[in-house]
Amino acid sequence: MQVLPGVVSTSDVSSKFYVRGGAGDQNLILLDGMRIYNPYHAFGIFSVFDPDIIRTAEVFTGAFPAGYGNRLSSVVNLTTKQGNVSRVAATSELNFLAAKALVEGPIGGNDSWIVSGRKSLFDGSYKHFVGSSLPISFYDLFFKGTIGTETGRASGRGFLSGDRIVSGNPDEPDYSWENRSFAASVSGLANDRLYVDALVYSSGFTVTQDAKSSNVIHSAE
């Protein structure tokens, strides 16, 4: 995405991007129709989306289709893949930065499910090599179930992600922010001349500040 015309990245180590001079929050990010408000981990170093679950990605930097709105800069429409309909399969990956696992399998016939999760590990790795810990940690989880019918398909999915900053100073607060998105969709032929594609979803983004048990009162002048 960062090499497309009109797209500008902040640096080589950041996944944040800006389109044609717009602000970062003017980009509409959709995952299987679910709106994702904060698509970054660790202040933009990592994306919240595991590339192993993405099937297609559409990027509109102008002339948005009629189905998209409420954003000024761009639309990024990500579609996830279906689960394995023939057998249960699993993949995993472990490195100094994170651990992740993906499990998928059939339910019966053309029905399938898929679950993918990831958890940061660089805090422990950094502490092992350097001797001090990093205050940032993150996780993300995606799950999806798909049921095929004679004339269409029904699907339910969900996406969760979160970041946490823990300060070693008791006088400084801790912070956490989370994405929570859930959706259900139905598509298929209602009759010979009518095709229905319906989607219902709920998305939320929460930021929490934990002041801990400090008795120190900071004042600003």
Side-chain angles (χ1 to χ4, degrees), residues 2 8-11 13-18 38 40 43-45:
Q2 294 179 347
V8 178
S9 61
T10 57
S11 68
V13 296
S14 176
S15 59
K16 289 186 177 182
F17 66 96
Y18 304 89
N38 181 33
Y40 309 110
F43 301 106
I45 299 178

Side-chain angles (χ1 to χ4, degrees), residues 92-103:
S92 62
E93 181 178 333
L94 178 66
N95 54 48
F96 292 118
L97 297 178
K100 71 176 184 179
L102 185 150
V103 185

